[in-house]
Structure formats: structure tokens, C-alpha cells
């Protein structure tokens, strides 16, 4: 099946509307929220909530057709392709403000990927039914456990019909919004048996207001300052037994395969990233597009002609740099579209999701840094947003799997090695 790059009318219309939101609601306040970290962009949030309620998973889950005509060809799914186009446009406006968009986010995506049918119904309904904005988040990283999830120390101990969670999580994107500013939820990764490593890892849903859970800190960051990044502590935090995503049992080698309705906890939740890594790539490329457009505009205003119809050896250094940056941007965008299209087509896309995340994170970092350089002293000042975009871009090479970890994932899949064989 060939990839069709032509946008459907509905996606193109939504993309244009989203670009208008970015231009009119986000870009004008971008500097304010950069300089007033931890302020919440409520005007944007309240404007977006009615839209997000109609599609709480931000396009990842296609709406079912109300009536199916057996004689009509089935419409192809487009949720993920739609998602990356919208996220790219919003991040062009402001990547930090985009991250405050209400909805399921990583937490909702984890429930969708690893939850049972009952859990999806119970936990995801709030993202469509609530009259006020609601957020989801994920808590995985710990002070001693970043990329190495086997080092996670947060524990979940069964106590009758409950689990009791104890531990500390850091760098939880949207932690304050999901747990203090709404009746949201957080998906917490914890171990039921530290001796088992990843085999003992489970994902648990903890709802806002649960006793024993507290947001203890908001980070002061280099970039994406409109987005809150929280530390969350769990102290004898009791949750219902059926809040563990998927199968609560620890798999044994001789045990039969789990049913389709109960994905394995760790592997099921990890599938979340096959959908969300293209989203991170799209966000990075929205920032990169903003920097490229500003750079071309400023060079043109300064009388620097950018020729793309002459041999490379006849171009100036600035021309070569700009065209190389634009080529890197386009390459990363095509990788991102492929990963999203494969997800919509039901194809395994773990390699492609990691590849686009690596390429986009690296491209956005290089593009924004080079933009500041080529703009000279003006690029380093706050008169333009170029220096902010350079600070915002770097996170896309770090969160949801660093560039190094995603390269390992790609290598393992291509070479057929396990995580123990290739570290």
C-alpha cells in the first residue's frame, strides 16, 4: 500500500483552523508565558476544551461511523496523520502552550494502549463528558531511574481489593494540570516485585484527589515554560485493585498467552510510545518550521538572496546552510508522516516511531541553533523568538525516550537483539 501525501479535505480544513489558533491565540502570548513560568494559559485552554471534548484522544482514535453501508468501501483511518498535522501547527505557535492542551495526553494514550475495555470506558469518559477541562499525565521517571525503567523503585503492594503505592516520580509533564487543576488522572509505573525487573513492572491509574498522592514541586526549565513539569510523591496511596492496566498477574514462562482484552502491562504500556513519539516529532518540527520561516524572512529583509536554482559551489555559505536546514526539516517530516500513516494502517511502527523521533529531535535542535547563529546578535536577544525556540526545541531530543535510547530501540529491532544483548 502506497502512502498518500494528499490531505483529505477535513484534515486540511482542521490544519488551517489550527494554524489560525496558533497565529492568533498562541504566538501573541508566547513571550509572556516564557517569562512567567507556571502561569496557566487559561484563555487558550478554555478555547480548546470544546474542541478537545469532541476528540479527546487528539485524533489518535478515529470516531466510529454511525451507519455502515456494506456496499461502500471502508474509509481508511487517518487519526494519527491528522494528529501530527495539528500538533505541528500548534507547536509552531508555542510548544509549551501546546503541551497544556486539555485531553488524555500520555495518560489517556496509556489507558487506550494497555487497558481493558472496562478500564477504557471508566477512565477515558471524563475527557469527553466533563464540562470543565481535564488532563491526563504519565509518571515514569524517578530520581534514580530515567531511561532505565528496570531501576524504578516506586512500589505497588496488594492489600486485599487495593494496591498501595509508595514512591517519588519526577518530570511528570502536566502533573499539576491533571492532579490539581482538574479531575484528571495520572498513569504511574510501579513494580510489584523489584526482583523481577521489568517483568514486575505494572502501570496503575491514580485519579486526582486520591489520598496519599501529592504534587510536591514544579520544575523551573530552560524551555517549554508554559507547560508544568511536576514531581509527584505517593505515600501509602491506596487505589482500587482494578486500577492496574491490563492483566494484574505477573506473567510466568509456562503461562498461556493473555487474552486480547488484557495486554501485558509493561509491553502494553510501552506501545503508548509508538503513537506518541510521532507526536513529539511533529511538535519539534513545528518549532523548527517557525525558526526556518523567521530566518528566511529576516535574511530576505536584509537583502540576502536565497537561490535554489544554482549549483551548490556557486552558493554563498548562508544559502547552503539554509537549504541544508530546510532539507533536514523535510526529511524529518516525511519520516514522521510515515510513522503516523503506518499506525493508522495497523502496521507495526516501533522502528519508524523511534526513527522519526530521533531525526526530528536532532533536526529541530540543529535548525534552531543555526537560526540563532545566522541571525547574528539579534538572534541572541529577546527581540525575536528565535532564542526561545532554541530553548524549546531541545526537550524533543530528551523526553519520551532520549535520542540515544531511541537509537538503541531501532538497532535492536533491525538486528533482532534483546535489551540484554544490546545495551
Amino acid at each position: 500500500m502506497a502512502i498518500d501525501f494528499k490531505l483529505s479535505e477535513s484534515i486540511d480544513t482542521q490544519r488551517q483552523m489550527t494554524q489560525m489558533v496558533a497565529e492568533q491565540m498562541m504566538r501573541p502570548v508566547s513571550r509572556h508565558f516564557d517569562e512567567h513560568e507556571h502561569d496557566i494559559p487559561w484563555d487558550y485552554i478554555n478555547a480548546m476544551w470544546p474542541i478537545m471534548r469532541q476528540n479527546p484522544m487528539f485524533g489518535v482514535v478515529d470516531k466510529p461511523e454511525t451507519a455502515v453501508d456494506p456496499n461502500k468501501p471502508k474509509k481508511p483511518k487517518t487519526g494519527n496523520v491528522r494528529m501530527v498535522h495539528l500538533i505541528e501547527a500548534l507547536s509552531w505557535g508555542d510548544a509549551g502552550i501546546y503541551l497544556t492542551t486539555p485531553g488524555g495526553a500520555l495518560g489517556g494514550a496509556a489507558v487506550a494502549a494497555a487497558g481493558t475495555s472496562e478500564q477504557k470506558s471508566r477512565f477515558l469518559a471524563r475527557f469527553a463528558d466533563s464540562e470543565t477541562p481535564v488532563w491526563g499525565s504519565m509518571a515514569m521517571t524517578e530520581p534514580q531511574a530515567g531511561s532505565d525503567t528496570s531501576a524504578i523503585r516506586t512500589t505497588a503492594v496488594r492489600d486485599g481489593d487495593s494496591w498501595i503505592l509508595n514512591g517519588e516520580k519526577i518530570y511528570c509533564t502536566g502533573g499539576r494540570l491533571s492532579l490539581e487543576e482538574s479531575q484528571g488522572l495520572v498513569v504511574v509505573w510501579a513494580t510489584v516485585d523489584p526482583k523481577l525487573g521489568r517483568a514486575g513492572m505494572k502501570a496503575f491509574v491514580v485519579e486526582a484527589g486520591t489520598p496519599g498522592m501529592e504534587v510536591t514541586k514544579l520544575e523551573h526549565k530552560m524551555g517549554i515554560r508554559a507547560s508544568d513539569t511536576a514531581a509527584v510523591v505517593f505515600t501509602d496511596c491506596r487505589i482500587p485493585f482494578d486500577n492496574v492496566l491490563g492483566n494484574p498477574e505477573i506473567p510466568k514462562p509456562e503461562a498461556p498467552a493473555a487474552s486480547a482484552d488484557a495486554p501485558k502491562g509493561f509491553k502494553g504500556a510501552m506501545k503508548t510510545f509508538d503513537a506518541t513519539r510521532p507526536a513529539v516529532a511533529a511538535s519539534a518540527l513545528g518549532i523548527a518550521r517557525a525558526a526556518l520561516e523567521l530566518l528566511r524572512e529576516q535574511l530576505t529583509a536584509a537583502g540576502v538572496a536565497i537561490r535554489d536554482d544554482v549549483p551548490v559551489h556557486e552558493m554563498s555559505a548562508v544559502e547552503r546552510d539554509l537549504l541544508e536546514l530546510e532539507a533536514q526539516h523535510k526529511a524529518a517530516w516525511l519520516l514522521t508522516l510515515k510513522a503516523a500513516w503506518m499506525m493508522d494502517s495497523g502496521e507495526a511502527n516501533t522502528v519508524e516511531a523511534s526513527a522519526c523521533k530521533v531525526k526530528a529531535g536532532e533536526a529541530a535542535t540543529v535548525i534552531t541553533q543555526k537560526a540563532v547563529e545566522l541571525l547574528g546578535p539579534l538572534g541572541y536577544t529577546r527581540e525575536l523568538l528565535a532564542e526561545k525556540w532554541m530553548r524549546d526545541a531541545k526537550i524533543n531530543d530528551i523526553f519520551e525516550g532520549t535520542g540515544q535510547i531511541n537509537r538503541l530501540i531501532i538497532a535492536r529491532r533491525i538486528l533482532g537483539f534483546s535489551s540484554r544483548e544490546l545495551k
Side-chain angles (χ1 to χ4, degrees), residues 60 87 89 110 169 186 203 213 260 264 284 286 390:
V60 177
I87 289 174
K169 296 292 183 179
V186 60
M213 175 175 61
K264 294 179 181 178
M390 183 177 73

Side-chain angles (χ1 to χ4, degrees), residues 310-357:
V310 298
V312 173
H313 68 273
E314 292 183 13
M315 292 180 179
S316 68
V318 171
E319 286 176 301
R320 289 196 298 271
D321 282 346
L322 179 58
L323 294 178
E324 172 62 21
L325 295 178
E326 291 179 338
Q328 292 300 320
H329 177 265
K330 178 62 74 175
W333 180 238
L334 291 175
L335 271 174
T336 303
L337 289 179
K338 181 180 181 182
W341 174 85
M342 289 179 71
M343 194 80 176
D344 284 334
S345 301
E347 298 183 25
N349 74 331
T350 300
V351 169
E352 290 76 12
S354 288
C356 76
K357 187 357 184 117

Side-chain angles (χ1 to χ4, degrees), residues 106-107 110 136-142 145 152 154 165 168-173 175 178-179 185-190 201-204 206 213 230-234 273:
L106 265 179
S137 59
M138 181 181 282
M140 180 184 292
T141 306
E142 299 183 0
I152 285 176
T154 296
L165 304 184
E168 179 186 7
K169 296 292 183 179
I170 59 174
Y171 303 148
C172 176
T173 301
S178 62
L179 302 178
L185 57 82
V186 60
V187 172
V188 182
W189 291 57
M201 208 70 62
K202 300 288 181 186
F204 300 84
V206 185
M213 175 175 61
V232 185
V233 172
F234 301 88
F273 297 115

Side-chain angles (χ1 to χ4, degrees), residues 26-38:
M26 303 173 83
R27 188 62 71 81
V29 297
S30 184
R31 181 61 76 186
H32 170 85
F33 286 101
D34 181 56
E35 296 181 348
H36 297 79
E37 191 167 12
H38 303 149

Side-chain angles (χ1 to χ4, degrees), residues 39-373:
D39 278 10
I40 299 174
W42 285 113
D43 288 347
Y44 166 79
I45 290 167
N46 291 327
M48 289 296 289
W49 181 235
I51 301 168
M52 295 306 299
R53 285 182 67 189
Q54 298 300 313
N55 204 340
M57 294 308 294
F58 215 155
V60 177
V61 179
D62 286 275
K63 293 181 182 180
E65 296 181 41
T66 52
V68 179
D69 184 345
N71 299 317
K72 270 186 156 185
K74 208 171 182 182
K75 285 185 179 180
K77 292 183 177 180
T78 59
N80 286 276
V81 170
R82 184 188 309 270
M83 174 187 69
V84 296
H85 279 282
L86 302 187
I87 289 174
E88 191 273 349
L90 291 175
S91 298
W92 177 94
D94 187 279
I97 296 175
Y98 145 66
L99 287 169
T100 70
T101 305
L106 265 179
V111 174
T116 63
S117 297
E118 184 276 332
Q119 287 171 330
K120 293 173 187 177
S121 175
R122 178 158 51 102
F123 293 126
L124 299 182
R126 71 194 69 202
F127 299 115
D129 297 343
S130 175
E131 293 296 325
T132 55
V134 183
W135 289 264
S137 59
M138 181 181 282
M140 180 184 292
T141 306
E142 299 183 0
Q144 79 295 328
S147 298
D148 183 8
T149 53
S150 65
I152 285 176
R153 295 178 188 164
T154 296
T155 58
V157 177
R158 180 157 181 193
D159 182 30
D161 293 334
S162 303
W163 295 97
I164 298 178
L165 304 184
N166 281 282
E168 179 186 7
K169 296 292 183 179
I170 59 174
Y171 303 148
C172 176
T173 301
R176 175 178 63 163
L177 291 174
S178 62
L179 302 178
E180 292 188 343
E181 300 293 339
S182 73
Q183 294 301 307
L185 57 82
V186 60
V187 172
V188 182
W189 291 57
T191 180
V192 296
D193 188 342
K195 296 191 296 293
L196 293 175
R198 288 189 178 91
M201 208 70 62
K202 300 288 181 186
F204 300 84
V205 179
V206 185
E207 298 178 272
T210 301
M213 175 175 61
E214 182 184 4
V215 175
T216 58
K217 180 185 177 183
L218 296 179
E219 298 292 343
H220 293 276
K221 306 185 298 299
M222 178 174 80
I224 57 165
R225 290 175 174 169
S227 168
D228 75 77
T229 304
V232 185
V233 172
F234 301 88
T235 307
D236 294 332
C237 180
R238 185 180 294 271
I239 61 173
F241 175 75
D242 55 5
N243 277 29
V244 57
L245 291 182
N247 186 356
E249 301 301 323
I250 301 173
K252 297 179 181 178
E254 67 275 10
S259 70
D261 198 43
K264 294 179 181 178
F266 181 81
K267 289 185 178 178
M270 285 302 290
K271 291 294 289 182
T272 303
F273 297 115
D274 291 347
T276 59
R277 279 175 178 150
V280 174
S283 181
L285 296 173
I287 302 170
R289 176 166 68 92
L292 286 171
E293 289 177 357
L294 176 65
L295 179 56
R296 192 175 263 275
E297 173 191 304
Q298 291 290 318
L299 290 173
T300 301
V304 178
I306 306 298
R307 301 165 298 167
D308 54 11
D309 58 350
V310 298
V312 173
H313 68 273
E314 292 183 13
M315 292 180 179
S316 68
V318 171
E319 286 176 301
R320 289 196 298 271
D321 282 346
L322 179 58
L323 294 178
E324 172 62 21
L325 295 178
E326 291 179 338
Q328 292 300 320
H329 177 265
K330 178 62 74 175
W333 180 238
L334 291 175
L335 271 174
T336 303
L337 289 179
K338 181 180 181 182
W341 174 85
M342 289 179 71
M343 194 80 176
D344 284 334
S345 301
E347 298 183 25
N349 74 331
T350 300
V351 169
E352 290 76 12
S354 288
C356 76
K357 187 357 184 117
V358 168
K359 181 66 176 176
E362 189 175 72
T365 300
V366 170
I367 288 168
T368 53
Q369 287 178 350
K370 196 69 175 179
V372 169
E373 176 187 321

